[in-house]
Amino acid sequence: MKTQVAIIGAGPSGLLLGHLLRAAGIDVVIIERVSADYVLGRIRAGVLERTTVELVERLGLDWRLKSEGLEHGGFNLADGERLIRIDLQDLVGTTVTVYGQTELTRDLMEAAPERGLEIIYEASDVAIHDHNSDTPSVTFSTGDGTEQKIEAEIVCGCDGFHGPSRRSISAGAGKTYERVYPFGWLGILSDVPPCHEELIYANHENGFALASMRSETRSRYYIQVPVDEDINDWSDDRFWDELALRLGPGPAETLVRGPSIEKSIAPLRSFVFEPMREGRLLLVGDSAHIVPPTGAKGLNLAASDVHYASAALVAYFNKGDNDAIAGYSAKALARVWKAERFSWSLTKLMHRFPDDSPFEREMQRAELDYIANSRAAQMSIAENYIGLPV
Ligand code: APR
Ligand code: PHB
């Protein structure tokens, strides 16, 4: 098989990029390791920045996002005594949209056939070859064990943190930056109405908590737990009791409990790999960077990488601009690092770190009190939360 762009991975990065390239008349094939159902089974964050929404609008695939997405004009920080509302609409004149990543992925997957976007699912042993030559290729085996090879002009690694693309960068050509946090998030999904009309990020003596949602009838909640926590130690009742305590008296009163339909613990890390391109291989999304979910940046960073990668590839294929691809890594990383900083900063502010002394705890309380009383501080948080300009 031959194509212009071979994309590895059918998560949000691969699907958004594939659709944008197809819309520009560029031939694309996506090679995905698991089934479509498996991809859709992943429960992920769902706060979309304006930039992300605009990509979906540009594709004309935003009809469900517009009808089912929840537009939020603000969010809240809780310090155990009060809610500190960050009024996005007033501070930075825009909103964010709450819409599950699973739903966005479903919209993009379902539109693929009609848009001529070929996705090969359940491909195994995916490997990238000769990405530093003019004739890169991707090999893999299909479900029946048949060996396949796709020759492409460009390969895009949208294969997430555990995929083969980052590992294909020449030894010594890349640099890794990482911080692994000493805690994880225990998340629960339940078909109960949210306890508050906007998100609440809580800093409590016992640890962090987050009240989020998927719709007006489905809630998503998280509490910080030790990184080696055994999920079997957490009954639904124990989770609800701890969540109510950490969110504080107001939200606890409106908290509706119900059976968990999903419960899992996710580790937190900050991670960046540089560069995001080598030869004809571009890294996009989680294959190049990971953020702690505190700032809701994971999906949105993938979208900004896609914004830069699609612009570079359209210029390369449709305008003969051979230099366009060369600028991709630096452009994408400039925004990645600022989102990494915001996610790290909000994680430091809102979580209990095991090694923190009473002094660090007082620093957190002082910073929250400063934010509560400073429009400038709130504006800084707001402009980062809605996403810095691409
Ligand atoms: N071959 C083919 N596909 C692969 C391989 C492989 N060897 N390894 C991984 N994949 C696929 C995964 O199955 C997954 O569908 O690549 C896809 C990567 O998707 P994500 O991990 O979701 O990464 P990305 O598309 O960049 O989206 C980032 O997803 O994980 C969240 O928090 C993250 O919200 C952010 C978003
Ligand atoms: C979620 O709804 O899953 C969610 C929302 C905001 C975050 C993280 C997760 O910062």
Side-chain angles (χ1 to χ4, degrees):
M1 281 190 273
K2 281 182 182 291
T3 189
Q4 288 177 294
V5 179
I7 292 177
I8 301 177
S13 296
L15 290 165
L16 268 173
L17 180 58
H19 271 295
L20 285 164
L21 296 178
R22 281 302 301 134
I26 295 168
D27 288 337
V28 183
V29 177
I30 299 179
I31 304 114
E32 167 55 56
R33 181 172 53 88
V34 297
S35 66
D37 286 345
Y38 191 99
V39 175
L40 290 172
R42 293 183 185 123
I43 305 292
R44 292 281 197 279
V47 175
L48 307 187
E49 295 175 356
R50 188 90 209 101
T51 302
T52 307
V53 172
E54 283 167 359
L55 283 182
V56 187
E57 285 172 343
R58 197 194 310 171
L59 289 167
L61 295 174
D62 58 315
W63 51 274
R64 204 156 68 99
L65 169 57
K66 285 291 188 298
S67 64
E68 295 176 19
L70 304 173
E71 194 167 11
H72 282 201
F75 69 97
N76 302 272
L77 302 175
D79 63 2
E81 291 147 24
R82 61 189 158 178
L83 290 186
I84 304 165
R85 184 161 187 268
I86 308 296
D87 186 336
L88 300 171
Q89 190 65 63
D90 173 49
L91 290 161
V92 288
T94 189
T95 60
V96 291
T97 304
V98 175
Y99 187 64
Q101 176 175 309
T102 304
E103 303 318 312
L104 176 60
T105 305
R106 187 192 315 281
D107 296 339
L108 296 170
M109 274 182 179
E110 289 176 352
E114 75 201 40
R115 300 285 179 100
L117 176 55
E118 183 180 358
I119 306 174
I120 299 169
Y121 290 102
E122 298 181 282
S124 51
D125 306 323
V126 176
I128 300 162
H129 306 276
D130 307 318
H131 66 269
N132 281 316
S133 77
D134 289 341
T135 54
S137 63
V138 178
T139 57
F140 58 95
S141 301
T142 50
D144 60 6
T146 311
E147 280 279 321
Q148 301 281 351
K149 178 178 180 180
I150 297 180
E151 294 174 7
E153 294 185 57
I154 298 289
V155 179
C156 291
C158 300
D159 48 341
F161 186 67
H162 301 289
S165 297
R166 186 176 68 251
R167 294 172 179 80
S168 301
I169 300 284
S170 310
K175 188 168 171 54
T176 295
Y177 304 82
E178 186 169 32
R179 162 116 199 235
V180 178
Y181 295 91
F183 41 73
W185 280 14
L186 167 55
I188 199 168
L189 202 59
S190 184
D191 280 332
V192 293
C195 70
H196 196 70
E197 68 270 11
E198 294 174 335
L199 272 63
I200 302 173
Y201 295 79
N203 175 323
H204 184 273
E205 282 295 338
N206 291 7
F208 169 83
L210 170 58
S212 183
M213 62 198 77
R214 289 292 174 269
S215 68
E216 282 155 8
T217 59
R218 175 167 288 191
S219 296
R220 179 66 165 163
Y221 292 114
Y222 301 91
I223 58 171
Q224 169 188 346
V225 292
V227 68
D228 55 0
E229 191 76 340
D230 181 348
I231 196 160
N232 297 311
D233 293 342
W234 284 90
S235 67
D236 285 4
D237 285 346
R238 184 187 174 198
F239 179 91
W240 289 120
D241 290 344
E242 186 62 25
L243 176 71
L245 177 67
R246 295 190 189 185
L247 288 177
E253 279 169 29
T254 53
L255 184 63
V256 177
R257 300 176 179 219
S260 59
I261 56 178
E262 195 271 344
K263 186 159 55 177
S264 57
I265 296 178
L268 272 67
R269 80 175 71 235
S270 297
F271 176 89
V272 178
F273 179 87
E274 293 186 350
M276 290 176 60
R277 180 188 69 85
E278 184 184 48
R280 292 174 173 269
L281 172 61
L282 279 65
L283 303 183
V284 181
D286 274 17
S287 63
H289 43 72
I290 297 288
V291 282
T294 324
K297 290 295 163 209
L299 174 56
N300 295 299
L301 263 188
S304 62
D305 289 353
V306 166
H307 169 85
Y308 295 123
S310 58
L313 292 170
V314 169
Y316 174 79
F317 283 108
N318 294 359
K319 298 171 186 161
D321 179 353
N322 291 323
D323 297 333
I325 297 172
Y328 162 69
S329 179
K331 268 186 189 171
L333 282 167
R335 195 169 190 271
V336 164
W337 276 115
K338 288 194 269 291
E340 290 279 350
R341 183 210 63 80
F342 175 68
S343 305
W344 163 79
S345 169
L346 201 56
T347 301
K348 258 193 338 133
L349 174 62
M350 300 306 289
H351 289 73
R352 301 309 317 279
F353 285 73
D355 297 340
D356 271 1
S357 69
F359 175 80
E360 277 82 16
R361 176 68 184 145
E362 285 312 307
M363 289 298 96
Q364 289 182 336
R365 292 169 61 87
E367 186 168 348
L368 285 165
D369 196 30
Y370 165 56
I371 292 165
N373 296 287
S374 162
R375 183 175 174 80
Q378 292 175 22
M379 192 170 284
S380 172
I381 290 177
E383 69 174 354
N384 280 281
Y385 195 81
I386 59 144
L388 297 177
V390 287

